[in-house]
Amino acid sequence: MVGFDPSTRTWVTGAARSQGMVDLPTLKGKVVTDPASRGEAADDFGHLVHHIPRAVLEPGADSDVMKMMAYCRTHGVRVAARGQGHATFGQGQVEDGLIIDMAPLNTVEVRKDTAVVGAGALWSSVAQATLAHNLTPAVFTDYLELSVGGTLSVGGIGGQTHRHGAQVDGVVELEVVTGEGSLRRCSADSRRDLFDAVLAGRGQCGIITKATVRLLPAPATVRHYLLSYPSVAALTADQRRVVNDGRFAYVEGELALPTESTGWSYQLEAVAFFDGTTPPDDARLLDGLGDQVSDRQIQDMSYFDFLDRLAAGVAYLKLTGEWYRPHPWWNMFLPASRTDAFVEATIKDLTETQVGASGVILLYPFPRARLQRPLLRVPDEETVFLFTLLRTASDGAESPQDMVEANRSLYLRAQAVGGYQYPVGSIPTTPEEWRTHYGPAWAAFAAARERYDPDAILTPGQGVFPPGP
């Protein structure tokens, strides 16, 4: 039996409980306080920040989240949800508070053209469940082993965003436990203020427990194209062309560091869907592209194999230990008019020691009009690029602290040219800077925070609002 001591703000189990303890509500799951569970909740993929909670809720049902939220509000305990712990800078941690492990809430129910998904479900599980009905969500992040609630809380950007927006743009309805301890259903037509404040809202007003997402007919096969370019400008020129005419279902770009025998390389990755019998018209899809292309690679694969194409690479990184090193990531949206110059200046003197042996540099292009959710802030230009430096503090690379400092400096440079954070990285940012970031969306966001988390107990690790109790 677990009890909470309001005088010391601690949970204590078994015989150590004293008369002053306040018992927890009856739950279908359990609250655990063992050092291993608390230690795991005090870490994330970044391995940079470590805030130790007092307890971890392993919910047996959505109702457990609601009961514990109300309990924590009464006793002034801060709360944060943890999906896969893939944050990089302590965003989902909470010192001396309660972590809600969302993994048990992982149901997937496929309906006619939607799926009702538990927030703890992995996108890989969603893909497998929907593909059994020849259906698919419109947008996936590159790495599938992320939780639905986690990516919807930040936005969810992928190579399909140029056609369908972010993952948050494909949400029909949410079930949310607010900071006031209520379970609310919201959509574009019901409690719109909560819907807008939770999608890409970083857990500041409520914790997603279920999401209803739109589904599309799933392709059987994809044709995968890799085109190599000699410069940033050559790559982005073709990226702009293909996202504007919509000829591909998926578009991304990657920059590879120089080696001993080669200079920088720049690749356009693109995909066309087909039914497995009638192949795409390569000549039509590649028409007008690559006046400066030095290499083309074309490959067919199943749709799921394409979605899960990072699996082998992730397994290798885990085997070598790179997966478990600190990851001081940097992610920002740039206006297209400033992208070439900014990227070229950023990589001009960039070395492997600054990004790590397994670091990845990506450029995602998309039309600004595809993004409809107010809290996913991007530059106000027709075309936007997501520029990412997915740094890893590999053996022999710069220290994680030096990488974080470099992120901060680069953030200020990007901000000066009209850039906005995609808030999954490791960039020290003040509440005042977040207020500037949200700009015209701030007033509605702050009002929703006051209404749905009046005691400011939710998700302090994001640093958006001044800390609560």
Side-chain angles (χ1 to χ4, degrees), residues 19-252:
Q19 264 190 330
M21 292 295 174
V22 179
D23 285 340
L24 299 181
T26 301
L27 303 172
K28 294 182 179 180
K30 60 184 178 179
V31 172
V32 296
T33 59
D34 62 282
S37 296
R38 294 167 60 213
E40 182 179 358
D43 194 15
D44 56 31
F45 187 64
H47 307 306
L48 298 165
V49 176
H50 303 279
H51 294 309
I52 301 176
R54 287 292 181 176
V56 177
L57 170 65
E58 298 174 354
D62 296 1
S63 59
D64 286 355
V65 180
M66 180 178 65
K67 290 177 181 179
M68 285 306 300
M69 189 75 77
Y71 186 91
C72 288
R73 182 189 180 193
T74 297
H75 297 290
V77 178
R78 294 174 298 174
V79 180
R82 176 185 173 89
Q84 287 300 295
H86 208 74
T88 66
F89 208 47
Q91 290 96 330
Q93 298 178 29
V94 56
E95 187 77 29
D96 289 331
L98 177 71
I99 291 292
I100 301 176
D101 178 1
M102 302 301 291
L105 305 181
N106 59 7
T107 57
V108 182
E109 178 188 353
V110 181
R111 298 179 178 175
K112 182 179 180 181
D113 56 0
T114 61
V116 181
V117 184
L122 304 182
W123 283 103
S124 58
S125 299
V126 176
Q128 290 168 336
T130 59
L131 284 174
H133 299 266
N134 296 316
L135 296 169
T136 180
V139 179
F140 288 93
T141 53
D142 286 342
Y143 182 50
L144 290 187
E145 307 306 315
L146 302 177
S147 70
V148 169
T151 64
L152 294 184
S153 293
V154 294
I157 300 294
Q160 307 96 326
T161 292
H162 76 284
R163 276 195 175 183
H164 301 288
Q167 288 182 323
V168 288
D169 293 301
V171 176
V172 176
E173 185 177 79
L174 295 172
E175 291 184 18
V176 176
V177 174
T178 65
E180 59 187 343
S182 300
L183 180 62
R184 307 277 190 182
R185 186 171 292 173
C186 58
S187 68
D189 300 316
S190 175
R191 294 193 180 93
R192 177 66 178 265
D193 63 332
L194 181 60
F195 191 66
D196 285 346
V198 171
L199 291 172
R202 303 164 61 192
Q204 298 302 288
C205 300
I207 292 175
I208 298 168
T209 56
K210 280 183 183 170
T212 301
V213 298
R214 293 188 191 91
L215 301 178
L216 301 174
T221 311
V222 305
R223 178 155 291 180
H224 184 257
Y225 301 85
L226 282 177
L227 308 181
S228 296
Y229 292 81
S231 66
V232 171
L235 168 64
T236 60
D238 274 1
Q239 284 184 306
R240 291 182 181 92
R241 182 175 293 113
V242 298
V243 299
N244 288 333
D245 64 30
R247 70 179 76 178
F248 291 114
Y250 172 101
V251 178
E252 193 176 304

Side-chain angles (χ1 to χ4, degrees), residues 132-457:
H133 299 266
N134 296 316
L135 296 169
T136 180
V139 179
F140 288 93
T141 53
D142 286 342
Y143 182 50
L144 290 187
E145 307 306 315
L146 302 177
S147 70
V148 169
T151 64
L152 294 184
S153 293
V154 294
I157 300 294
Q160 307 96 326
T161 292
H162 76 284
R163 276 195 175 183
H164 301 288
Q167 288 182 323
V168 288
D169 293 301
V171 176
V172 176
E173 185 177 79
L174 295 172
E175 291 184 18
V176 176
V177 174
T178 65
E180 59 187 343
S182 300
L183 180 62
R184 307 277 190 182
R185 186 171 292 173
C186 58
S187 68
D189 300 316
S190 175
R191 294 193 180 93
R192 177 66 178 265
D193 63 332
L194 181 60
F195 191 66
D196 285 346
V198 171
L199 291 172
R202 303 164 61 192
Q204 298 302 288
C205 300
I207 292 175
I208 298 168
T209 56
K210 280 183 183 170
T212 301
V213 298
R214 293 188 191 91
L215 301 178
L216 301 174
T221 311
V222 305
R223 178 155 291 180
H224 184 257
Y225 301 85
L226 282 177
L227 308 181
S228 296
Y229 292 81
S231 66
V232 171
L235 168 64
T236 60
D238 274 1
Q239 284 184 306
R240 291 182 181 92
R241 182 175 293 113
V242 298
V243 299
N244 288 333
D245 64 30
R247 70 179 76 178
F248 291 114
Y250 172 101
V251 178
E252 193 176 304
E254 182 171 353
L255 285 63
L257 286 157
T259 66
E260 291 183 0
S261 58
T262 65
W264 278 91
S265 64
Y266 313 90
Q267 282 194 325
L268 169 64
E269 182 182 18
V271 157
F273 295 159
F274 68 108
D275 60 10
T277 58
T278 305
D281 183 342
D282 293 339
R284 181 185 64 82
L285 288 171
L286 299 177
D287 181 46
L289 301 183
D291 291 340
Q292 303 179 60
V293 167
S294 58
D295 182 49
R296 293 178 177 177
Q297 300 175 44
I298 303 175
Q299 177 186 9
D300 291 346
M301 62 184 77
S302 76
Y303 178 59
F304 184 78
D305 284 348
F306 166 69
L307 295 178
D308 201 35
R309 66 199 180 282
L310 296 190
V314 169
Y316 177 76
L317 293 176
K318 289 180 177 180
L319 182 66
T320 62
E322 280 286 283
W323 187 259
Y324 306 106
R325 296 185 184 278
H327 291 87
W329 283 5
W330 183 94
N331 312 65
M332 288 194 72
F333 297 110
L334 300 174
S337 64
R338 308 298 291 270
T339 294
D340 290 1
F342 187 89
V343 173
E344 288 167 357
T346 299
I347 69 172
K348 182 175 181 290
D349 299 312
L350 201 64
T351 65
E352 184 176 294
T353 61
Q354 295 169 309
V355 295
S358 60
V360 178
I361 306 171
L362 302 174
L363 271 175
Y364 298 75
F366 52 88
R368 167 70 181 83
R370 297 297 187 196
L371 303 184
Q372 299 297 314
R373 300 269 57 89
L375 294 184
L376 187 53
R377 302 286 293 153
V378 298
D380 190 17
E381 281 197 6
E382 183 177 346
T383 304
V384 173
F385 282 84
L386 176 61
F387 180 34
T388 75
L389 301 180
L390 306 185
R391 305 182 198 257
T392 302
S394 308
D395 188 26
E398 289 186 349
S399 71
Q401 294 75 24
D402 285 343
M403 289 183 175
V404 170
E405 289 181 13
N407 284 349
R408 172 69 184 177
S409 176
L410 192 59
Y411 156 70
L412 294 174
R413 285 174 46 204
Q415 189 183 50
V417 300
Y420 286 80
Q421 279 201 58
Y422 182 42
V424 299
S426 308
I427 304 172
T429 310
T430 67
E432 292 76 17
E433 287 171 327
W434 283 124
R435 181 168 183 159
T436 299
H437 167 92
Y438 286 107
W442 176 260
F445 193 19
R449 167 80 164 188
E450 179 66 25
R451 179 175 182 182
Y452 294 108
D453 184 24
D455 296 302
I457 65 171

